[in-house]
Amino acid sequence: MASRYHDVYKGWKEDPLGFWKSAASEIDWVATSDKIFDPDQGQYGRWFPDWECNTCYNCLDRHVERGRPGQPALIYDSPITGRKQTFTYAELLEEVEGFAAVLQDQGLSKGDRAIIYMPMIPQAVMAMLACARLGVVHSVVFGGFAANELATRIDDATPKTIIAASCGIEPGRVIAYKPLIDQAIELSKHKPDSVLVVQREEQKAELQDGRDHDLGALQADAVAAGRKVSPVPVKATDPLYVLYTSGTTGQPKGVVRDNGGHMVALKWTMSNLYDVQPGEVFWAASDVGWVVGHSYICYAPLLHGCTTILFEGKPVGTPDAGVFWRVISEHNVVSLFTAPTAFRAIRKEDPKGELIKQYDLSTYRSLFLAGERADPETVNWAIDQLQVPVIDHWWQTETGWCIVGNPLGLGSLPVKPGSPTVPMPGYDVQVLDDAGHPLGPNTLGNIVVKLPLPPGTFPTLWNADKRFFDSYLAEFPGYYKTADAGVIDDDGYLSIMARTDDIINVAGHRLSTGGMEEVLATHPDVAECAVIGIADKLKGQLPCGFVVLKAGVERAHEDIEKELVKLVRERIGPVAAFKIAITVDRLPKTRSGKILRGTMRQIADGETYKMPATIDDPAILDEITEALKSHGISA
Ligand code: COA
Ligand code: AMP
């Protein structure tokens, strides 16, 4: 079938407002208006400015009212605990209404914030939807972040309540969440009124009198009492959630997502990009703590009337590298969305795909990859093993949905290995040089998107309009700076080559090396430090920290390095995967004192590098090479 992509993209370019007006007809609105976009509102304009809606209503009630009450909405499959549970649309609505009643009883109402700090259990999705039902702004914090990171988010979002579980479960260990929450609240200036805790059997939490409540019991009571909570109408431009993501400092950026544009864009993607129909089963094997989890575990599949899978496990080891195929086969998944790192892990354990052959994958149609570069080797392995289209697509927490991809629903375009293909309607993607001049095809430069950004992308940062402007709009006036570098070829295909800032991508998780440097610098023996991301076969990149010790420090380097690893784990969390700290005498710098992180990375990755013309002392590069070798990193 010839792809309709070019016609659809051209149609959007010629009439962007008409395009989004038509997409908006897929959503149930409380109020609409003729105004689709107001260029004078917000930082670069606002979508659907006078429209009103409720996201939870669109995810649940309308499917219950119109023919899907008995269809599974959410399937919880937890190989790590051995539990499975299915909720139909009617059941999920009942649970969410009960949950919303509990939040109301705690005094939460439209515009308040709630932080959700939970593992991959059904109550995490219920919490998001219950907040959406009330117009409460949720902020989900990934369970792998430490107390300090949670505290930073508490201070920025100033939530009335924290919704949590007593513990999370990682292979071989149970992580008690409650002590982390208590510590975070102690560290934060803002103190939430309440902490609502789901008590899990694996480890129960001690509840503090007055402040803490047993969420499971309260929700069960509310459901048993048949409590009904009507969806609260909100403006399309009101915030649905804030999701913190790594910025260039230890202070994370609070990406704001609105209600209306978000629904319109996500709903459009389900059939046009993912080629999934209402009633089918869609699985995003991510975590609700990440943007992929927000968009494609929770909101998009439910908006579309699909069944979504909530998977609490790992691609390998729970119990083996066949678990993805077991889940696909058991629940009739038609499309899987995950990070390439998950496939690298599976391939390492089961290179010949023996486990794949044990399952009936006849309903399965496509694999979507995002979150990091999809290396052609992994993509080709997946194609060979699964015999389905494997689609790499590029997006960011900031955009909330795909910027560049291959729209399966419009008819797929030929794949070029290493390229996520072409811009989606809504995105006018260009490549500029550092001075902001457009670059021709096949020339590496800064990837930018011409303003306005489409519906569903972030209108600003939480309580930080200036930071939003400075970080994203100031450098290239009229454009959104993606902070990715890349090229567009003669056919309009984009390739993402690298970040232009300090962000690294570890196992599909986005991390700031600047944030890690801030932590290392607090160690009393450290005078100076630099963290770089070095290539890793499994996780894509791994952080590697170089430290120069203060004069007169005579302690064993090994001991200090162990303390540094512990420090990053305690302050940022295990998700940082910071395991390599290397003591050196000096760091390579330019004559003006800028640390040559790029050259250090090239050395660590064994790439040929050009001696920087402005280097202060070239001999230091040999010292770095030796230091890497002594830590088992071959240069
Ligand atoms: N709560 C607490 N700790 C967590 C956690 C959570 N929710 N998630 C991860 N961690 C811990 C891990 O246990 C690990 O701890 P360790 O250092 O003691 O081993 C550490 O954080 C690093 O985790 P990770 O980088 O995820 O490595 P892993 O070895 O546990 O698993 C993969 C490797 C490839 C299997 C895994 O990273 C994966 O499935 N990645 C997919 C990423 C993804 O879905 N990204 C979303 C974008 S689509
Ligand atoms: P996150 O905000 O966590 O989704 O991370 C976004 C960043 O991950 C992007 O800016 C890219 O650097 C990287 N990324 C995401 N998807 C891809 C992809 N398909 N190809 C290359 N890099 C990607």
Side-chain angles (χ1 to χ4, degrees), residues 29-43:
W29 301 92
V30 176
T32 60
S33 108
D34 287 340
K35 198 162 233 174
I36 309 296
F37 181 71
D38 182 350
D40 298 324
Q41 277 191 39
Q43 297 297 299

Side-chain angles (χ1 to χ4, degrees), residues 8 20 39 43 64 69 132 140 145 173 221 255 276 284 305 328 390 393 442 452 485 497 509-510 519 563 610 625:
V8 172
W20 291 118
Q43 297 297 299
V64 174
V140 185
F145 282 119
R173 71 183 201 279
D221 287 350
V255 167
V276 171
I328 289 175
V390 175
H393 60 330
N442 309 310
M497 309 308 283
H509 310 315
R510 170 170 160 177
V519 173
E563 288 167 13
K610 248 175 59 194
T625 308

Side-chain angles (χ1 to χ4, degrees), residues 72-79 81-88 91-92 95 120-123 126 198 200 219 307-312 326 330-331:
L74 178 75
I75 297 175
Y76 168 58
D77 189 313
S78 170
T81 63
R83 293 191 192 107
K84 286 180 203 170
Q85 200 174 357
T86 298
F87 298 86
T88 63
E91 287 163 347
L92 189 57
E95 292 292 341
M120 290 284 283
I121 56 174
Q123 288 86 349
M126 290 170 192
V198 172
R200 300 191 81 186
Q219 190 188 355
T307 302
T308 187
I309 307 266
L310 186 76
F311 173 75
E312 189 185 24
R326 196 267 299 156
E330 192 172 321
H331 305 302

Side-chain angles (χ1 to χ4, degrees), residues 251-285:
Q251 178 71 29
K253 292 171 168 162
V255 167
V256 174
R257 193 80 56 213
D258 70 10
N259 276 275
H262 178 241
M263 284 195 280
V264 172
L266 290 192
K267 179 76 173 75
W268 184 88
T269 62
M270 286 303 289
S271 48
N272 294 291
L273 172 58
Y274 296 102
D275 193 25
V276 171
Q277 307 314 319
E280 294 188 317
V281 185
F282 186 81
W283 178 22

Side-chain angles (χ1 to χ4, degrees), residues 403-425:
I403 311 166
V404 166
N406 195 343
L408 214 48
L410 297 177
S412 60
L413 295 166
V415 171
K416 294 192 189 186
S419 163
T421 317
V422 289
M424 289 300 98

Side-chain angles (χ1 to χ4, degrees), residues 81-123:
T81 63
R83 293 191 192 107
K84 286 180 203 170
Q85 200 174 357
T86 298
F87 298 86
T88 63
Y89 269 97
E91 287 163 347
L92 189 57
L93 176 58
E94 197 180 33
E95 292 292 341
V96 168
E97 286 197 86
F99 206 123
V102 174
L103 296 181
Q104 269 183 337
D105 293 347
Q106 293 299 322
L108 276 91
S109 61
K110 184 159 126 181
D112 288 337
R113 273 84 53 213
I115 278 188
I116 301 172
Y117 187 64
M118 280 183 148
M120 290 284 283
I121 56 174
Q123 288 86 349

Side-chain angles (χ1 to χ4, degrees), residues 516 518-526 545 547 549 553-573 578-583 631:
M516 292 186 217
E518 282 176 22
V519 173
L520 296 183
T522 63
H523 190 285
D525 294 341
V526 169
V547 293
L549 301 182
V553 173
E554 280 174 6
R555 302 175 52 215
H557 291 178
E558 221 183 27
D559 293 344
I560 296 173
E561 287 164 4
K562 275 193 196 137
E563 288 167 13
L564 292 169
V565 167
K566 196 160 157 260
L567 197 62
V568 176
R569 196 176 171 92
E570 278 168 9
R571 293 277 178 84
I572 298 180
F578 183 84
K579 309 236 157 120
I580 314 163
I582 303 179
T583 313
H631 280 73

